[in-house]
Amino acid sequence: MPPALAPAVADLLRRSPDGLVAAVAQQHDTGEVLMLAWMDDEALRRTLSTGQATYWSRSRGEYWVKGATSGHHQAVREVRLDCDGDALLLLVDQTGPACHTGERSCFHRPLEVSRAAG
């Protein structure tokens, strides 16, 4: 059995009731926001120990290494924890598109914002 997530790291996390933490992937050199996924302690442990982004799929109920089937890998350069401990930022080197639709970023659909007069 692989070692658990280091207690010093695990103690910093504030998980959702289902044990997950939001993980935002960002291109390390451009700042482009690529995607949002979910991690539990094991996904974070795998990511930190392998340098490959590993997430928990809520829909499939299993771990997935980004790019394992598509070839569009995320080599992790750095992982940061936000001030509240409830979100992670992965600075990655993205190979190919990050989105399962084939788009570079999952955030490719802008919404119109109304500006208040004044």
Side-chain angles (χ1 to χ4, degrees):
M1 181 173 193
L5 184 63
V9 175
D11 289 348
L12 296 173
L13 298 176
R14 290 187 52 208
R15 300 159 195 81
S16 67
D18 52 358
L20 301 175
V21 175
V24 175
Q26 181 180 36
Q27 179 63 36
H28 75 96
D29 53 354
T30 66
E32 179 183 21
V33 176
L34 300 170
M35 58 179 272
L36 177 128
W38 298 95
M39 290 183 159
D40 64 4
D41 286 19
E42 178 60 14
L44 180 55
R45 185 199 67 77
R46 291 181 187 190
T47 297
L48 293 172
S49 65
T50 66
Q52 292 296 311
T54 303
Y55 302 105
W56 174 254
S57 172
R58 296 182 303 169
S59 60
R60 295 188 310 263
E62 64 185 19
Y63 296 102
W64 55 283
V65 177
K66 181 68 176 161
T69 57
S70 68
H72 303 148
H73 297 277
Q74 290 177 345
V76 178
R77 299 283 188 101
E78 188 177 340
V79 177
R80 298 179 185 176
L81 181 64
D82 82 333
C83 58
D84 295 324
D86 60 2
L88 296 162
L89 176 65
L90 280 67
L91 300 177
V92 304
D93 189 10
Q94 176 71 45
T95 300
C99 188
H100 72 279
T101 65
E103 295 287 335
R104 170 79 179 156
S105 168
C106 292
F107 297 98
H108 63 274
R109 300 186 301 173
L111 301 178
E112 185 175 328
V113 177
S114 297
R115 304 278 185 221

